[in-house]
Amino acid sequence: MALPETFTHQDELLTISSNAQPFLDGLLHPGISVAPMFLDTHNGVWCLRVKFKPGVTLPLHYHTGVVHFYTMSGCWYYTEYPDQKQTAGSYLFEPGGSIHQLNVPADNTEDTDTFMIVFGANVNFTETGEYINMMDAGLIKTWVDQAIKEQPGAEDVRYISSPVPSFTKS
């Protein structure tokens, strides 16, 4: 079998060390630190390492696409599933169309460190079901780029993003 005639050439690998990456504070919600890994505004995919402080509760949210969610340390659960706590080593697949509210127990002794790959958007709501916002790769990219300008030490934050489409003349 021959190699493909068309392939993507890379001069270097697109890689980021999430352990060396600075975290940005206060982007998504109070008590959360974010290290962006990949923000694809064209395809609606976002990949983040997120640390949650003990006691954090996110808004109720609806997923327009699937989520892959890995817990590296700490503990969290969904309000709707309080007996299914996610702890270090837990991998959770969330189907598109799911709705839930993430909680980090206040008695956690450490931050909860997670890694997520999200397709689509989170549509966020208040406890009473009123619309807050739609958080997608574009909104997160805007928040990240602003934080890089404003937060001390954030100038070293790197993330991979989708290329800007352009016309090619033949």
Side-chain angles (χ1 to χ4, degrees):
M1 181 170 183
L3 291 174
E5 291 181 27
T6 304
F7 61 93
T8 302
H9 172 77
Q10 289 182 262
D11 290 328
E12 62 182 324
L13 295 177
L14 300 174
T15 183
I16 295 171
S17 170
S18 68
N19 289 330
Q21 178 84 329
F23 281 78
L24 302 169
D25 294 319
L27 295 185
L28 309 178
H29 192 274
I32 294 177
S33 298
V34 175
M37 300 288 113
F38 177 72
L39 300 172
D40 183 343
T41 59
H42 301 291
N43 293 298
V45 179
W46 34 293
C47 179
L48 307 171
R49 183 170 173 192
V50 180
K51 292 182 181 181
F52 300 91
K53 296 277 184 214
V56 165
T57 298
L58 292 183
L60 181 69
H61 58 277
Y62 170 87
H63 288 285
T64 64
V66 302
V67 176
H68 300 273
F69 199 153
Y70 183 74
T71 304
M72 295 184 287
S73 67
C75 173
W76 65 273
Y77 64 94
Y78 286 132
T79 303
E80 300 77 13
Y81 307 94
D83 296 332
Q84 296 183 31
K85 291 188 170 54
Q86 303 298 301
T87 57
S90 296
Y91 163 75
L92 176 69
F93 173 79
E94 300 175 16
S98 60
I99 188 166
H100 40 246
Q101 183 175 37
L102 183 145
N103 292 279
V104 178
D107 62 355
N108 274 10
T109 58
E110 62 182 340
D111 289 354
T112 296
D113 193 355
T114 65
F115 181 81
M116 63 184 73
I117 302 170
V118 181
F119 294 77
N122 284 11
V123 184
N124 295 310
F125 298 93
T126 66
E127 294 274 342
T128 58
E130 299 194 16
Y131 176 80
I132 298 173
N133 67 5
M134 186 174 322
M135 189 172 65
D136 63 4
L139 182 59
I140 293 169
K141 184 177 184 328
T142 299
W143 288 345
V144 164
D145 291 346
Q146 189 65 35
I148 289 171
K149 293 177 189 171
E150 295 176 355
Q151 291 186 19
E155 62 276 355
D156 294 331
V157 170
R158 296 178 52 216
Y159 63 90
I160 300 164
S161 64
S162 56
V164 177
S166 61
F167 291 106
T168 304
K169 292 183 180 182
S170 47

